[in-house]
């Protein structure tokens, strides 16, 4: 049996007549899962290692063994409606994970089909950012909205686009890669894709770090608390901590990041005219440090017909639960 961690929500009495969804979030290091009801309450959480399973078959076996206690805790398979999976490079139409660079299994993996066969349950799969958008629509800040864009800010920049109440997948299942749109022509080199000037190269936590290093070099004669952190250890949270202490260079980092993100959001607004843009992830914790310039530069770059119409809101999903909730929402969304 795979090593697992799990716990029941002791504060709630499980309704045996109610169906549940299994939400699975596959990351490069670990895979998290949970048992979720239609209200978004998670009754069981657990995790297994992703990276130690070089074979996808052994990974799925370990996942089944880890989730089995959760299924038994609510009365078995009859109480489970289905399984939702969020994974990098996940294709909703095909149920495949395709050439994911940070997973141990290469090529095209028919993951949804394999999980469905092992569990004896219907399984749906999409990429992690799309799953977050579905989760936000069902459980979070986008409840009741039919047109919104979800932007996830983390190590990278992910996105999910909802229009007319439906997630936009495109003809091949890979629509919505707004983080890789080019915002600064011939701009900063992206460390993974080789593209120049993509949004992810600036607005991600990684981008914030790179901007800080560039501004420290540019203002080499200026004192900064950031200089107390060794270059190889500098992370985006150091920039936030220094900015909160009034450090000018750290504040400039967030102003510049907010400018780039705001310009990008203006493009996205004029593309789909959403009711709201929902922002999620670590950099949003900087609050007004980043959001004031985001709002300013978004509005400045919009046509008059779009100005002062679009809400910028933070996700209402708990960061530690968002991926599981988003994956589970695929089950309830499926007709």
């Amino acid at each position: 049996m795979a090593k697992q961690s799990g716990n029941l929500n002791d504060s709630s009495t499980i309704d045996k007549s109610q169906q549940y969804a299994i939400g699975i979030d596959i990351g490069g290091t670990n895979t998290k899962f949970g048992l979720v009801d239609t209200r978004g309450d998670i009754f069981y959480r657990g995790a297994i290692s992703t990276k130690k399973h070089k074979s996808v078959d052994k990974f799925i076996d370990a996942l089944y063994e880890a989730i089995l206690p959760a299924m038994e805790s609510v009365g078995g398979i009859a109480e489970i409606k289905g399984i939702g999976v969020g994974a990098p490079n996940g294709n909703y139409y095909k149920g495949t994970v395709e050439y994911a660079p940070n997973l141990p299994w290469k090529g095209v993996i028919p993951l949804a089909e394999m999980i469905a066969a092992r569990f004896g349950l219907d399984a749906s799969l999409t990429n992690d950012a799309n799953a977050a958008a579905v989760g936000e629509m069902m459980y979070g800040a986008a409840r009741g909205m039919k047109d919104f864009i979800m932007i996830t800010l983390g190590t990278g920049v992910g996105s999910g686009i909802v229009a007319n109440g439906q997630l936009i997948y495109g003809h091949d299942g890979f629509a919505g890669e707004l983080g890789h749109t080019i915002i600064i022509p011939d701009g900063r080199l992206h460390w993974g894709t080789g593209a120049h000037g993509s949004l992810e190269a600036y607005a991600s936590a990684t981008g914030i770090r790179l901007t800080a290093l560039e501004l420290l070099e540019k203002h080499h004669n200026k004192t900064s608390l950031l200089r107390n952190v060794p270059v190889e250890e500098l992370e985006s949270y150091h920039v936030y901590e220094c900015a909160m202490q009034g450090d000018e260079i750290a504040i400039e980092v967030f102003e510049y990041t907010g400018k780039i993100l705001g310009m990008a959001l203006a493009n996205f607004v004029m593309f789909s005219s959403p009711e709201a843009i929902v922002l999620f992830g670590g950099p949003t914790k900087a609050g007004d440090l980043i959001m004031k310039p985001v709002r300013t530069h978004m509005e400045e770059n919009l046509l008059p017909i779009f100005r002062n119409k679009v809400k910028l809101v933070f996700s209402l999903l708990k960061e530690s639960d968002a991926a599981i909730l988003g994956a589970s929402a695929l089950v309830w969304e499926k007709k």
Side-chain angles (χ1 to χ4, degrees), residues 16-29:
K16 297 292 185 182
S17 67
Q18 184 178 11
Q19 285 193 318
Y20 300 86
I22 295 172
I24 300 172
D25 171 49
I26 299 177
T29 303

Side-chain angles (χ1 to χ4, degrees), residues 6-335:
N7 60 82
L8 285 170
N9 185 337
D10 296 325
S11 63
S12 300
T13 301
I14 296 175
D15 179 359
K16 297 292 185 182
S17 67
Q18 184 178 11
Q19 285 193 318
Y20 300 86
I22 295 172
I24 300 172
D25 171 49
I26 299 177
T29 303
N30 294 306
T31 292
K32 298 184 293 183
F33 59 85
L35 199 67
V36 186
D37 69 12
T38 55
R39 296 183 302 272
D41 293 327
I42 301 177
F43 289 93
Y44 193 103
R45 294 175 177 82
I48 66 169
S49 170
T50 307
K51 65 180 180 180
K52 83 172 187 179
H53 295 97
K54 304 305 179 188
S55 159
V56 68
D57 293 290
K58 289 183 178 178
F59 166 77
I60 292 172
D61 284 341
L63 192 59
Y64 177 79
E65 294 293 340
I67 295 176
L68 189 58
M71 296 168 62
E72 291 175 344
S73 73
V74 294
I77 194 171
E79 299 302 320
I80 311 297
K81 182 172 175 60
I83 300 171
V85 183
N89 288 28
N91 187 316
Y92 177 78
Y93 291 146
K94 298 179 181 178
T96 52
V97 171
E98 304 187 15
Y99 309 102
N102 60 337
L103 294 181
W105 326 300
K106 305 307 175 187
V108 178
I109 309 294
L111 198 63
E113 180 183 320
M114 295 173 76
I115 288 175
R118 184 67 179 90
F119 282 76
L121 288 164
D122 186 54
S124 300
L125 177 147
T126 190
N127 74 40
D128 36 10
N130 280 341
V134 176
E136 206 68 50
M137 184 164 50
M138 180 159 189
Y139 309 122
R143 275 176 297 186
M145 292 186 191
K146 291 188 174 182
D147 297 270
F148 72 95
I149 297 173
M150 179 86 181
I151 303 288
T152 61
L153 303 174
T155 305
V157 175
S159 59
I161 304 165
V162 173
N164 300 324
Q166 294 185 320
L167 196 64
I168 302 301
Y169 286 109
H171 82 282
D172 60 354
F174 290 112
E177 289 290 352
L178 299 180
H180 294 294
T181 55
I182 304 303
I183 304 303
I184 307 293
D186 299 318
R188 180 182 292 164
L189 176 67
H190 188 281
W191 50 92
T193 66
H196 287 268
S198 64
L199 177 61
E200 184 168 282
Y202 295 93
S204 62
T206 311
I208 289 171
R209 176 184 183 275
L210 294 174
T211 298
L213 293 174
E214 288 176 4
L215 291 179
L216 285 169
E217 176 64 25
K218 178 182 177 182
H219 303 303
H220 60 273
N221 292 324
K222 197 171 188 176
T223 60
S224 172
L225 294 171
L226 291 169
R227 300 191 193 280
N228 297 330
V229 184
V231 169
E232 64 276 8
E233 296 178 14
L234 185 66
E235 298 292 348
S236 60
Y237 71 85
H238 292 119
V239 183
Y240 168 72
E241 290 171 351
C242 292
M244 291 302 290
Q245 296 177 63
D247 186 87
E248 291 184 10
I249 291 181
I251 290 171
E252 186 179 347
V253 171
F254 282 112
E255 288 176 345
Y256 182 70
T257 304
K259 175 182 178 180
I260 301 298
L261 182 55
M263 290 166 55
L265 295 186
N267 287 339
F268 304 159
V269 166
M270 291 186 286
F271 156 68
S272 67
S273 193
E275 177 181 347
I277 295 174
V278 182
L279 298 164
F280 173 85
T284 64
K285 294 187 175 110
D288 283 347
L289 282 170
I290 191 169
M291 291 311 298
K292 281 188 176 179
V294 166
R295 168 62 75 180
T296 296
H297 290 281
M298 184 183 84
E299 296 293 347
E300 282 181 357
N301 286 281
L302 286 171
L303 291 173
I305 56 171
F306 293 107
R307 286 181 195 150
N308 302 310
K309 287 182 177 179
V310 181
K311 294 177 282 190
L312 292 181
V313 298
F314 292 140
S315 168
L316 294 180
L317 302 183
K318 186 178 176 183
E319 191 165 353
S320 60
D321 293 340
I324 292 172
L325 289 173
S328 73
L330 292 172
V331 175
W332 309 120
E333 184 199 42
K334 195 164 187 177
K335 302 294 186 288

